[in-house]
């Protein structure tokens, strides 16, 4: 029996490292209890979480705005509160989870996500059936009667009760997602060989990115199904009809069941896989990864000194700031990408869902897997410096793809400035009609008298709204906007995202190789707090506010304003391009500084290794100037109280 097998047996004596729960540990499922089985389960976890929380929920935004009369700022707030709860709990979960049972922390968190998905679907059962307005109804036409129609009109007043339920579901989902990109990565990293870290984490990240893409594809197909499955009697609407409301809730409900199952499976994993501890100690002994910081033990009093070590680490700080600039852009544009494809390129709900799904799926898979190859052949001790270099150059190249947003799409909807003065249209529902190239809110606003025909043609409409090109007949629906280039945009945006995903894995390598081994979870968690507090949290609300300013037609009735019906798309594109250029320029500067300090760290380390101003003191520690480092495992361990490390070296501002 070799030394490694003896170590494994000693570990198994202290703790049962087989897969299962308490006394139930079936032999037929022990194939899960290895690094590959762990990767499969965690990847499934990332797919389900991304598919439901970041896929179904985002794809549902246009439908929620229509049914519950929300504007872009309010739906942006829904995305932000998710980040608030995630931010508050990430710092706690990532720190205490580093010293606790990671699978149990992860499984319990995913259980909360399942409950949040059930809660997200609840308003559908509370609000009742959706009744679309009839195209041919006496209330939709011009009337000289001055009596108000508001008593007979459905109110579009904003309902706080439903909005609070959506907010609460997002808060719980954000809290449950706290360990997804901190504890999951750290648990995976500590149970595999350091030589395979890049490819394993790349596969896990791909699963997380594939989740939203699958969610958008499935969500787009679900939105092609009527919200109540069966349409009301007398209606035969299609998804292209402006009155259509897609099924936004059933995906979350089914996803909740799958989430509960995945959480149950993850909680069956042991604290560490068999042979993982011996493998980790061997890597530390060979100085392939940083050693543990022995002065951090998981107590609450250790949070402040642990945080101080990280914020004084220039490699870690500038890497975090570079990704922060990317997060602001992604969090700002991401929730409205589905809407952008629909309003600016005229895509149907199904095509927009499939399009977003393919964009995220292809770009994240290709970008992340290719990015994991950068520096994969590099010596582990140089991995931090090489990965930092790739982050800088990849960001520099990707910046120029921002101009892809200049690809022309649809023309703006032409809406009249004034309504027919002789018609009392207050309380009329939004059923647009087209007169040549002018779109009216309803037949009433176009001055059309009551029609008896059930066709989609309106006749004898008032000439007060006509132009020199007036047609004798008006058609139901929005006027043709000359939409084009939707497929060109989808291809271009896929290339843009692929370039941005290329530096994801190099960035994670920089983070995990620039901090002590037992601070990896906390370092990743602290990054997430920064990105969410200063990026994901404010970005959707800010971008949503700017998008609402581009609205040229609001849903209005009886003095109440609802959701936006049409946008000035040129203004929306201008906001995206200008903000993208500024944020990507900041990312380039931060990545350049990260690379500089990583190179400086490597140079200082080489001087030390080649017999620089260092000496071995009698107490068994290595001294470099005024700093002393204790020895661990028979090798020099450069992780002290005030030291900053990158691949076992000291770096200071």
């Amino acid at each position: 029996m070799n030394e490694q097998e003896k170590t494994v047996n000693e570990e198994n004596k202290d703790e049962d490292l087989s897969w299962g729960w308490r006394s139930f540990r079936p032999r037929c499922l022990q194939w899960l209890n290895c690094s590959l089985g762990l990767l499969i389960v965690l990847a499934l976890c990332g797919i389900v979480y991304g598919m439901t929380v970041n896929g179904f929920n985002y794809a549902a935004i246009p439908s929620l705005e229509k049914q519950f009369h929300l504007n872009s700022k309010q739906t942006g707030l829904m995305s932000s509160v998710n980040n608030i709860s995630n931010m508050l709990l990430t710092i706690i979960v990532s720190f205490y989870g580093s010293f606790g049972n990671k699978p149990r922390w992860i499984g319990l968190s995913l259980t909360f996500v399942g409950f949040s998905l059930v809660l997200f679907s609840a308003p559908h059962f509370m609000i009742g059936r959706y009744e679309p307005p009839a195209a041919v109804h006496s209330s939709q036409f011009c009337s000289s009667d001055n009596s108000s129609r508001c008593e007979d009109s459905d109110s579009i007043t904003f309902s706080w009760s439903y909005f609070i339920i959506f907010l609460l579901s997002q808060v719980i989902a954000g809290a449950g997602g706290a360990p997804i990109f901190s504890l999951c990565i750290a648990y995976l990293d500590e149970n595999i060989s350091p030589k395979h870290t890049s490819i394993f984490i790349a596969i896990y990240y791909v699963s997380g990115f594939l989740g939203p893409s699958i969610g958008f594809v499935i969500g787009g197909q679900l939105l092609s199904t009527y919200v109540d499955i069966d349409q009301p009697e007398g209606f035969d609407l299609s998804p292209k009809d402006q009155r259509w409301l897609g099924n936004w809730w059933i995906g979350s409900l089914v996803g909740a069941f799958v989430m509960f199952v995945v959480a149950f499976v993850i909680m069956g994993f042991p604290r560490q896989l068999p042979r993982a501890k011996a493998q980790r100690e061997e890597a530390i002994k060979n100085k392939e990864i940083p050693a543990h910081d022995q002065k951090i033990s998981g107590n609450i009093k250790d949070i402040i000194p642990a945080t101080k070590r990280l914020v004084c680490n220039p490699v870690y700080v500038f890497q975090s700031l570079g990704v922060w600039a990317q997060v602001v852009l992604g969090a700002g544009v991401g929730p409205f990408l589905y809407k952008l494809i629909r309003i600016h390129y005229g895509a149907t709900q199904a095509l927009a869902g499939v399009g977003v799904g393919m964009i995220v799926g292809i770009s994240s898979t290709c970008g992340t897997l290719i990015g994991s190859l950068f520096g994969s052949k590099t010596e582990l001790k140089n991995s931090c410096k090489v990965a930092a270099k790739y982050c800088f150059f990849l960001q520099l190249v990707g910046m120029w793809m921002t101009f892809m947003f200049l690809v022309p799409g649809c023309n703006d909807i032409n809406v009249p400035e004034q309504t027919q003065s002789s018609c009392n249209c207050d309380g009329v529902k939004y059923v647009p009609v087209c007169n040549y190239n002018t779109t009216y809110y309803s037949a009433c606003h176009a001055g059309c008298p009551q029609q008896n025909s059930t066709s989609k043609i309106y006749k004898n409409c008032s000439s007060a709204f006509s132009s020199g090109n007036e047609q004798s007949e008006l058609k139901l629906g929005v006027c043709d906007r000359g939409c084009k280039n939707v497929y060109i945009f989808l291809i271009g945006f896929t290339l843009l995202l692929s370039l941005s995903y290329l530096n994801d894995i190099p960035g994670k390598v920089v983070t995990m190789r620039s901090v002590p081994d037992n601070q990896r979870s906390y370092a990743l968690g602290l990054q997430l707090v920064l990105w969410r507090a200063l990026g994901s949290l404010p970005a959707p609300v800010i971008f949503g506010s700017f998008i609402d300013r581009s609205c040229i037609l609001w849903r209005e009735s009886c003095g109440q304003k609802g959701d936006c019906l049409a946008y000035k798309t040129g203004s929306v594109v201008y906001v995206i391009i200008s903000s993208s250029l500024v944020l990507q320029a900041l990312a380039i500067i931060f990545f350049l500084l990260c690379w500089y300090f990583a190179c400086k760290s490597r140079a200082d380390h080489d001087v030390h290794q080649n017999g620089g101003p260092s000496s071995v003191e009698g107490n068994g520690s290595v001294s470099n100037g005024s700093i002393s480092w204790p020895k661990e495992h028979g090798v020099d361990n450069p992780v002290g109280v005030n030291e900053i490390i990158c691949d076992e070296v000291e770096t200071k501002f």
Side-chain angles (χ1 to χ4, degrees):
M1 182 179 295
N2 58 35
E3 182 179 349
Q4 187 176 15
E5 290 176 344
K6 290 181 179 179
T7 305
V8 173
N9 290 335
E10 291 176 359
E11 292 175 7
N12 289 332
K13 289 179 181 179
D14 297 333
E15 181 180 0
D16 190 350
L17 299 183
S18 57
W19 184 89
W21 308 270
R22 295 185 178 274
S23 60
F24 179 72
R25 300 180 184 272
R27 280 176 167 251
C28 60
L29 295 179
Q30 294 308 310
W31 62 271
L32 289 170
N33 204 32
C34 63
S35 58
L36 182 59
L38 174 63
L39 176 63
I40 293 174
V41 175
L42 289 182
L44 182 60
C45 161
I47 289 175
V48 176
Y49 181 83
M51 179 178 66
T52 53
V53 177
N54 298 324
F56 292 158
N57 291 2
Y58 281 169
I61 285 179
S63 298
L64 298 182
E65 290 179 347
K66 177 180 290 188
Q67 185 171 17
F68 299 96
H69 311 302
L70 307 174
N71 56 42
S72 296
K73 185 177 180 180
Q74 290 163 340
T75 53
L77 181 60
M78 289 168 53
S79 300
S80 294
V81 296
N82 178 298
N83 295 316
I84 291 176
S85 59
N86 187 284
M87 176 188 65
L88 294 176
L89 285 185
T90 291
I91 196 72
I92 298 174
V93 171
S94 62
F95 184 79
Y96 287 105
S98 299
F99 303 93
N101 190 312
K102 292 184 179 68
R104 291 182 183 177
W105 279 87
I106 297 170
L108 182 62
S109 299
L110 294 181
T111 303
F112 281 100
V113 176
F115 283 119
S116 75
L117 295 173
V118 174
L119 189 61
F120 186 84
S121 304
H124 166 74
F125 302 97
M126 298 169 61
I127 197 172
R129 292 183 62 87
Y130 170 70
E131 296 293 338
V136 182
H137 191 275
S138 60
S139 64
Q140 291 296 118
F141 296 102
C142 178
S143 173
S144 58
D145 187 3
N146 291 326
S147 60
S148 175
R149 310 184 211 195
C150 292
E151 295 180 359
D152 300 326
S153 174
D154 293 338
S155 174
I156 63 168
T157 305
F158 170 68
S159 175
W160 276 102
S161 59
Y162 300 125
F163 184 57
I164 289 176
I165 292 176
F166 286 127
L167 289 180
L168 183 59
S169 71
Q170 291 300 297
V171 168
I172 299 175
I180 296 296
F181 290 109
S182 56
L183 288 186
C184 285
I185 294 177
Y187 184 59
L188 183 63
D189 181 49
E190 67 190 28
N191 285 288
I192 61 176
S193 171
K195 297 179 181 179
H196 302 146
T197 296
S198 294
I199 188 63
F200 269 66
I201 293 180
I203 294 174
Y204 174 72
Y205 261 78
V206 166
S207 70
F209 296 140
L210 282 177
S213 66
I214 296 174
F216 272 108
V217 171
I218 298 177
Q221 298 303 313
L222 291 176
L223 290 173
S224 297
T225 304
Y226 191 69
V227 63
D228 297 311
I229 309 299
D230 297 324
Q231 297 188 30
E233 186 177 354
F235 284 89
D236 187 21
L237 304 179
S238 70
K240 294 184 179 181
D241 196 300
Q242 291 293 315
R243 297 168 292 169
W244 177 267
L245 186 64
N247 192 311
W248 55 267
W249 55 271
I250 195 169
S252 297
L253 204 59
V254 175
F257 173 77
V258 179
M259 187 67 72
F260 289 135
V261 174
V262 173
F264 187 69
V265 173
I266 288 180
M267 285 191 284
F269 280 95
R271 184 185 297 265
Q272 59 187 3
L273 297 183
R275 290 183 289 275
K277 184 177 181 179
Q279 180 177 262
R280 200 77 185 166
E281 289 179 349
E282 182 68 18
I284 294 175
K285 182 178 180 180
N286 294 334
K287 302 186 69 176
E288 294 178 343
I289 60 175
H292 291 265
D293 188 341
Q294 300 297 334
K295 297 195 175 184
I296 302 297
S297 59
N299 297 322
I300 190 171
K301 63 181 181 180
D302 292 330
I303 291 182
I304 294 178
T307 305
K308 182 180 179 181
R309 288 175 176 80
L310 294 177
V311 298
C312 292
N313 183 335
V315 178
Y316 173 80
V317 168
F318 286 120
Q319 171 64 27
S320 302
L321 290 175
V323 179
W324 163 80
Q326 297 176 319
V327 168
V328 173
L329 181 60
V333 178
F336 307 106
L337 179 60
Y338 179 86
K339 177 187 288 188
L340 176 67
I341 295 175
R342 293 203 63 202
I343 66 175
H344 190 44
Y345 293 98
T348 62
Q349 291 181 332
L351 178 58
V354 173
V356 173
M358 291 181 62
I359 286 174
V360 177
I362 296 175
S363 60
S364 61
T365 302
C366 296
T368 304
L369 291 179
I370 295 174
S372 68
L373 300 178
F374 290 123
S376 60
K377 302 299 182 180
T378 305
E379 185 181 1
L380 284 173
K381 294 182 179 181
N382 292 322
S383 59
C384 181
K385 179 183 69 174
V386 173
K389 177 183 69 174
Y390 283 126
C391 286
F392 167 71
F393 282 109
L394 291 172
Q395 183 64 35
L396 189 63
V397 173
M399 176 180 180
W400 301 104
M401 285 301 299
T402 300
F403 295 102
M404 178 274 314
F405 283 101
L406 293 177
V407 174
C410 303
N411 299 320
D412 291 336
I413 293 178
N414 182 25
V415 295
E417 296 182 357
Q418 297 179 350
T419 58
Q420 168 64 14
S421 58
S422 62
C423 296
N424 178 21
C425 299
D426 197 18
V428 174
K429 295 181 179 181
Y430 176 66
V431 182
V433 295
C434 174
N435 177 20
Y436 186 59
N437 65 344
T438 302
T439 299
Y440 295 92
Y441 192 93
S442 69
C444 176
H445 291 77
C448 299
Q450 183 170 347
Q451 312 282 310
N452 295 323
S453 173
T454 58
S455 67
K456 298 181 179 180
I457 302 298
Y458 299 92
K459 299 180 180 180
N460 302 321
C461 297
S462 173
S463 60
F465 287 90
S466 65
S467 60
N469 297 317
E470 179 189 2
Q471 294 176 328
S472 59
E473 296 179 345
L474 275 67
K475 298 181 180 180
L476 177 66
V478 176
C479 296
D480 181 34
R481 298 191 293 147
C483 297
K484 56 188 177 183
N485 298 328
V486 60
Y487 294 104
I488 295 177
F489 174 80
L490 293 177
I491 294 173
F493 198 78
T494 300
L495 181 59
L496 170 65
L497 279 187
S498 297
L499 290 173
S500 67
Y501 281 123
L502 281 176
N503 62 11
D504 269 5
I505 300 305
K508 285 295 176 287
V509 171
V510 172
T511 298
M512 292 192 293
R513 297 297 174 253
S514 65
V515 299
D517 186 63
N518 61 336
Q519 283 191 261
R520 290 170 300 113
S521 294
Y522 185 56
L524 293 169
L526 194 62
Q527 278 184 333
L528 288 176
V529 171
L530 167 70
W531 298 339
R532 293 184 183 278
L534 303 180
S536 302
L537 179 59
V541 177
I542 295 173
F543 275 74
S545 298
F546 280 112
I547 291 176
D548 279 341
R549 292 182 184 180
S550 304
C551 185
I552 57 177
L553 181 63
W554 290 93
R555 189 189 304 273
E556 294 181 327
S557 180
C558 303
Q560 301 291 335
K561 186 167 72 171
D563 56 302
C564 182
L565 301 170
Y567 294 88
K568 186 176 179 61
T569 56
S571 299
V572 176
V573 171
Y574 173 78
V575 169
I576 293 175
I577 291 179
S578 58
S579 58
S580 178
L581 290 175
V582 172
L583 291 168
Q584 295 210 54
L586 286 174
I588 290 173
I589 295 173
F590 290 137
F591 285 141
L592 177 61
L593 290 172
C594 175
W595 181 28
Y596 166 76
F597 282 105
C599 292
K600 185 175 183 297
S601 300
R602 187 72 255 169
D604 292 345
H605 179 59
D606 291 340
V607 171
H608 169 66
Q609 290 292 90
N610 294 328
S614 305
S615 61
V616 179
E617 299 178 353
N619 60 3
S621 65
V622 177
S623 175
N624 187 0
S626 60
I627 301 174
S628 295
W629 298 328
K631 278 193 173 184
E632 285 186 15
H633 306 293
V635 296
D636 300 339
N637 174 26
V639 182
V641 177
N642 297 317
E643 286 73 36
I644 304 159
I645 67 159
C646 180
D647 298 346
E648 307 92 57
V649 294
E650 178 200 19
T651 306
K652 290 187 178 180
F653 282 111

